Amino acid sequence: MEAHKQLTIGLFGFGVVGEGVYKVLQQTPSLKASIKKVCIKNPEKKRDASQELFTADKNDLLSDPDINVIIEVINDSEAAFEIVSTALSNGKSVVSASKKMIAEYLPELLELQKQTGESLLYESAACASIPVIRNLEEYYDNDLLYSIRAIVNGSTNFILTKMFEEKLEFQEALLLAQQLGFAESDPKLDVEGFDAVNKWTFLLTHAYGIIERPENIVFNGIQNIQSADAAVSKEKNFDIKLVAQAKKLQNGKVAAFVLPQFVKLDGHLAFVKNEYNGVVIESSFADKQFFYGKGAGSFPTASAILSDLSALRYQYKYEYKKLYHHTPHQLTNDFHVKVYVSFDDWKYIPREKFEWIDEWHAGSARKYLVGGIHFNELKQNTWWKDNNTSLILLPEAVVEDMEIRKLKKKSLELAGIV
Amino acid sequence: MEAHKQLTIGLFGFGVVGEGVYKVLQQTPSLKASIKKVCIKNPEKKRDASQELFTADKNDLLSDPDINVIIEVINDSEAAFEIVSTALSNGKSVVSASKKMIAEYLPELLELQKQTGESLLYESAACASIPVIRNLEEYYDNDLLYSIRAIVNGSTNFILTKMFEEKLEFQEALLLAQQLGFAESDPKLDVEGFDAVNKWTFLLTHAYGIIERPENIVFNGIQNIQSADAAVSKEKNFDIKLVAQAKKLQNGKVAAFVLPQFVKLDGHLAFVKNEYNGVVIESSFADKQFFYGKGAGSFPTASAILSDLSALRYQYKYEYKKLYHHTPHQLTNDFHVKVYVSFDDWKYIPREKFEWIDEWHAGSARKYLVGGIHFNELKQNTWWKDNNTSLILLPEAVVEDMEIRKLKKKSLELAGIV
């Protein structure tokens, strides 16, 4: 309609996502954004675009005064940070899809945005086609966000869906995911929860103003989940999902982690199947919101990058309201969680660490118990993910102090003591 | 962080929504938006806010140069248009929740935005806490949106849910909705589909650049749906929802309507129960997105208004990209739909108007048939909603020309002719 910022783009990376961005922009002339140059590692490689678009010299993009937006979609997080920080310092806006880089360099990136006044947007870095960051920025104010629960990794969700619906073992489901292109050939990043906790790191910043290193957030993947766990889950009328969650406690602090969890079959997260992602936000005003969409892949990621470009045209910046306009929330480990733990041998399980036990079951092969444990125990030790042990949270897993006495009593009743 | 537009607000209306806005703003100091004056009809009425805030003279708001944003949440659509057009002409931004006014005065409002260059935002007017307009504006480009299907009216969805889950008759479910505050004492606007088609009118503008008068869009409500229809639906493993939908046809034109529809039990829209709203968008890039949230009520509406205020701080305007940056799509009635029609007497049903019939059933009381009909028949006649007749679309209801021959053949086979 009128004087928008004209976008002249330098693109770093021309892999699946980079090429997706290129194609999507070609099909979106209304955005009036043009890619001037693409920086890639190997300029010799044959590509589905004009050869003169490409360069191997990053300064052809970073030092070009015509280029006012850098899109960065490369895999190497150190190199990505180098590019993003130089671009911001050179007065360019940046759109990034590098979740690992953003998670690892979050404090530096916040400082750079402050210093330069330039905009860094990364809607595509978490849940791609779901506008979760924009929504957290625009819809929620600090005091009002009760909880956020999300499935942020499509590969693990695909594997879990197949384990449930087709009764596959983990390894079979993983192989299928790889064949269909939903999991990398080295699946560790996805399967062991690293990708999910990276995304959760900066979503916690937008949700609660929390700045934490990813390795300080308690997380696990789905690598130890077995078909026996899926069978128990079915008996209990639950599904199993890898859930990233954060909940504001009564003391104002925030409990946050990324762990496998039983979810109710008729609930929002159980509805999210296969490679899809989903986010459930509960708050005082908007009540309950649920977003569902593809979290990865060439075009879904490109469409999120497109929405960031669209926002740059009217000088949109993340405000990090919960960080700068409020007293940011603190992460706490001082609460209890209700867990299911399955294992091969009792010797791996420090039963004395449990505050209460609601159920135990010893089958011929696999054994399990259900009980309550202090979250610090998970933070400080790893027995719960070593030795083929599988820990799965129960629904409504977080237990605040005042509820514990009741549960302890229940445990004693179960044991026949009172 | 830095120089944002400071918002000084004049608020029209202090009913359920207006008071919600007032309270939500009080609890959101970080927005730095303050209400300077509230215009109400009856200044004598005792209210839960300082008396000097209120006035009955609209010019106290519209002519105050300090006030740069008007929020309008009144019920009378003519008065609302008067307020909004004066505010825009006086150089103020406007946030409105008046779906009826926006639907009825859409061409005028578009013209006013062009002339004045001022921003008019109305995220709260459709699906409240679901950011559907912003999403259509930012995520989708014209050529890429295949379809959009939505439950945009919470009252009717609540009634249908109760008819299904608790086997209530329509009138009983309506009474329950009224008792719980989900339906107005005069429920005609909701129940007969007027509210839904109003919302659909301007969502079609953001989705496809279509400008149409609400009365020119084929719509119906749920007033004729009976427990017998719910029973048939259960047999067929469907749920019934009032679905607003639009689909791009192969000829580039758009089929759009608001009608009751059978939906699959495991689908997205069946997941939307009680007073919730939901939107499913299918497109080439983002693939499938699904948004779910409360579509009405004091705080959900206020939270959407808050997100508009937040956007006004960085001078956000709707661009109406599909209207101004593309050749807008045209609405068409030239396609067929697969329908279920239930009725008391064959005499009300012009069987000769059906292109094909797949199923008929004559019970002692209620009868029904399933078949295909040209959409123009629904556009030009009303037999399908008169005389207690209930028309419900089948899933995937829209049939484009090329598929018809196949279906006609099936119909003939069923009749034993070929």
Side-chain angles (χ1 to χ4, degrees), chain A residues 1-2 4 23-25 27-32 110 113-114 117 123 128-132 134-135 137-139 141-144 266-269 271 276 284-294 299-304 306-307 310-311 313-321 324-326, chain B residues 1-2 4 23-25 27-32 110 113-114 117 123 128-131 134-135 137-139 141-144 266-269 271 276 284-294 299-307 310-311 313-321 324-326:
Chain A
M1 260 161 135
E2 63 282 297
H4 277 303
K23 285 186 180 163
V24 165
L25 272 174
Q27 291 175 59
T28 315
S30 63
L31 193 61
K32 297 196 181 75
L110 288 167
Q113 288 172 80
K114 255 195 201 166
E123 190 64 80
S129 72
I130 303 175
V132 56
R134 203 78 60 81
N135 201 60
E137 283 280 312
E138 302 303 318
Y139 256 80
D141 207 277
N142 204 18
D143 323 62
L144 314 172
D266 60 352
H268 296 75
L269 293 182
F271 185 81
Y276 280 88
S284 150
F285 298 152
D287 208 292
K288 186 177 267 189
Q289 283 181 308
F290 172 45
F291 299 90
Y292 166 106
K294 286 213 170 150
F299 281 3
T301 307
S303 82
L306 208 74
S307 82
S310 183
R313 295 165 65 225
Y314 47 87
Q315 268 92 37
Y316 179 76
K317 294 172 191 179
Y318 296 146
E319 292 187 73
Y320 300 94
K321 288 180 194 165
Y324 296 129
H325 301 179
H326 295 86
Chain B
M1 264 165 135
E2 62 283 299
H4 277 301
K23 285 187 180 162
V24 165
L25 273 174
Q27 290 175 60
T28 314
S30 63
L31 192 61
K32 299 195 179 72
L110 288 167
Q113 288 172 80
K114 256 194 201 166
E123 191 65 81
S129 72
I130 302 176
R134 202 78 61 82
N135 201 59
E137 283 281 312
E138 302 304 317
Y139 257 79
D141 207 279
N142 203 17
D143 322 64
L144 312 170
D266 59 353
H268 297 75
L269 293 183
F271 186 81
Y276 280 89
S284 152
F285 298 153
D287 208 294
K288 187 176 266 189
Q289 284 181 310
F290 172 44
F291 299 89
Y292 165 105
K294 287 214 172 151
F299 281 4
T301 307
S303 82
I305 289 172
L306 208 73
S307 81
S310 182
R313 296 166 64 225
Y314 47 88
Q315 267 91 38
Y316 178 76
K317 293 173 193 179
Y318 296 145
E319 292 188 73
Y320 300 95
K321 288 181 194 164
Y324 296 129
H325 301 178
H326 295 84

